[in-house]
């Protein structure tokens, strides 16, 4: 696309940017996550692989970042949308896009988040008034009107950036690839390291000392399986190039398998923790389960 993002792509990405913040505040369907933002943006831009790489990188980067109450947080979703769109349209390296566009945009969007919250108080005061007047239809309308500032707080900056920022990004990419290769390589390295930093922040909040054995086991399994699958893939590729009748293709290690192993370990740890609960808690949980199933457990006598 030589740096140009088509109008229909700008419109679709703007609509998604407006939807994702509403989803994050109401439906919580997980579509307002960087990995989904990368997938959807990549599909719209015609390169889902690039989108998933950028979305996954930013997902890991913000994995340990959280806020409480009404605090604003960095908008990694909008950062993913712009980083993916500009990366695909201008040919920018994925890791460079994460460091040069994704993270800065995510941080700058804090300001629009604050503006959206501030503007939304207008409708909140109207809702209070409607409740005092027992005007419930007015309450419902103004409750829905409150989504407008939130949607615009993402839609307007994303639209402006996509519609008018493509030429600037294309020029920046040209300079990075020619006159400032050293900076481009540095940004790519930083972008590759950011997911590890995000995961490290997450580990600070998790009970790592308590479950350190699972951490070691998970790391070892991943390292061993990665080595095994990589060697098998290399051998299969080598045999296929030598033997004409050997047409089998060997894939890399499936991440679904690693995810299932992690799920099994987490489930085992959960069951162990539940087993340590006091007897009263276990009895109450069992009684609740019996009531929900409508079955009577006991002696038939």
């Amino acid at each position: 696309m030589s740096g140009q993002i088509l109008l229909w792509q700008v419109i679709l990405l703007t609509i998604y940017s407006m939807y994702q913040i509403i989803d994050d505040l109401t439906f919580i369907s997980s579509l307002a996550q960087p990995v989904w933002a990368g997938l959807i943006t990549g599909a719209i831009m015609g390169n889902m692989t690039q989108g998933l790489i950028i979305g996954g990188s930013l997902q890991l980067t913000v994995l340990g970042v959280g806020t409480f109450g009404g605090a604003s947080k960095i908008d990694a979703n909008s950062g993913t949308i712009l980083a993916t769109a500009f990366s695909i349209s201008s040919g920018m390296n994925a890791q460079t896009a994460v460091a040069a566009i994704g993270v800065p945009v995510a941080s700058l969007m804090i300001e629009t988040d604050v503006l959206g919250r501030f503007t939304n108080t207008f409708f909140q005061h109207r809702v209070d008034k409607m409740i005092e007047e027992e005007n419930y239809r007015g309450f419902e309308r103004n409750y829905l009107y409150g989504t407008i500032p939130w949607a615009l707080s993402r839609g307007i900056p994303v639209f402006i950036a996509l519609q008018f920022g493509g030429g600037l990004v294309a020029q920046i990419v040209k300079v990075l690839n020619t006159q400032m290769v050293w900076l481009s390589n540095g940004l790519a390295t930083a972008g590759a390291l950011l997911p590890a930093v995000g995961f490290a922040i997450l580990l600070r909040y998790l009970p790592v000392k308590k479950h350190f054995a699972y951490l070691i086991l998970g790391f070892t399994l991943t390292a061993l399986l990665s080595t095994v699958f990589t060697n098998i893939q290399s051998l299969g590729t080598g045999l296929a190039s030598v033997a004409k009748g050997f047409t089998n293709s060997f894939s890399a290690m499936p991440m679904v398998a690693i995810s299932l192993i992690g799920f099994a370990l987490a489930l085992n740890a959960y069951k162990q923790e539940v087993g340590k609960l006091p007897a009263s808690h276990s009895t109450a949980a069992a009684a609740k389960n019996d009531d929900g199933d409508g079955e009577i457990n006991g002696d038939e006598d």
Side-chain angles (χ1 to χ4, degrees):
M1 293 182 186
S2 66
Q4 183 179 3
I5 303 176
L6 301 178
L7 181 60
W8 68 269
Q9 294 173 324
V10 173
I11 293 174
L12 288 179
L13 292 176
T14 300
I15 293 174
Y16 170 68
S17 70
M18 297 170 69
Y19 167 79
Q20 58 90 9
I21 183 60
I22 303 301
D23 184 285
D24 191 35
L25 295 171
T26 55
F27 307 115
I28 313 179
S29 66
S30 295
L31 288 177
Q33 296 293 330
V35 66
W36 275 104
L39 174 64
I40 294 172
T41 306
I44 293 174
M45 296 299 300
N47 191 339
M48 286 193 292
T49 301
Q50 185 87 335
L52 282 172
I53 292 174
I54 295 175
S57 297
L58 281 168
Q59 182 80 63
L60 290 173
T61 300
V62 300
L63 201 60
V65 178
T67 56
F68 303 94
S72 294
K73 63 178 181 179
I74 63 175
D75 186 3
N77 300 327
S78 298
T80 301
I81 293 172
L82 295 181
T84 303
F86 288 132
S87 172
I88 295 173
S89 64
S90 62
M92 182 184 291
N93 178 274
Q95 284 74 25
T96 303
V98 169
I101 300 177
V103 174
V105 168
S107 301
L108 287 173
M109 292 295 286
I110 294 177
E111 307 303 327
T112 62
D113 185 85
V114 173
L115 182 60
R117 293 175 186 271
F118 174 76
T119 309
N120 202 36
T121 56
F122 171 77
F123 298 106
Q124 292 174 357
H125 291 312
R126 286 178 60 87
V127 165
D128 292 337
K129 182 179 179 181
M130 297 298 177
I131 293 175
E132 293 177 357
E133 297 174 352
E134 298 185 358
N135 183 356
Y136 297 111
R137 288 188 178 275
F139 163 79
E140 293 173 355
R141 286 196 304 271
N142 281 273
Y143 172 77
L144 295 176
Y145 292 159
T147 60
I148 298 175
W150 283 112
L152 293 179
S153 69
R154 268 61 176 182
I156 291 177
V158 168
F159 176 82
I160 293 175
L162 292 175
Q163 184 65 18
F164 303 105
L168 175 61
V169 172
Q171 291 297 323
I172 293 174
V173 172
K174 183 178 179 180
V175 173
L176 287 175
N177 291 336
T178 54
Q179 303 174 14
M180 304 181 70
V181 178
W182 58 271
L183 179 59
S184 177
N185 293 336
L187 290 173
T189 303
L193 289 175
L194 283 174
V197 174
F199 198 76
I201 295 174
L202 176 66
L203 290 179
R204 289 183 58 86
Y205 297 98
L206 294 177
V208 175
K209 294 181 179 180
K210 185 178 182 180
H211 302 290
F212 194 67
Y214 289 104
L215 182 64
I216 296 175
L217 182 60
F219 174 81
T220 305
L221 284 174
T222 303
L224 289 176
L225 291 177
S226 297
T227 303
V228 171
F229 272 89
T230 301
N231 291 335
I232 292 176
Q233 187 179 26
S234 300
L235 288 173
T237 303
L239 288 175
S241 62
V242 175
K244 295 182 179 179
F246 192 82
T247 58
N248 292 335
S249 59
F250 292 85
S251 301
M253 180 182 62
M255 293 309 299
V256 175
I258 293 296
S259 301
L260 290 175
I261 293 174
F263 175 76
L265 294 175
L267 182 61
N268 184 52
Y270 170 76
K271 288 186 175 181
Q272 290 181 357
E273 293 299 320
V274 171
K276 296 178 183 178
L277 292 175
S280 58
H281 288 263
S282 302
T283 304
K288 182 178 181 181
N289 188 36
D290 290 341
D291 293 339
D293 295 336
E295 299 177 356
I296 300 176
N297 295 330
D299 296 335
E300 296 182 356
D301 298 337

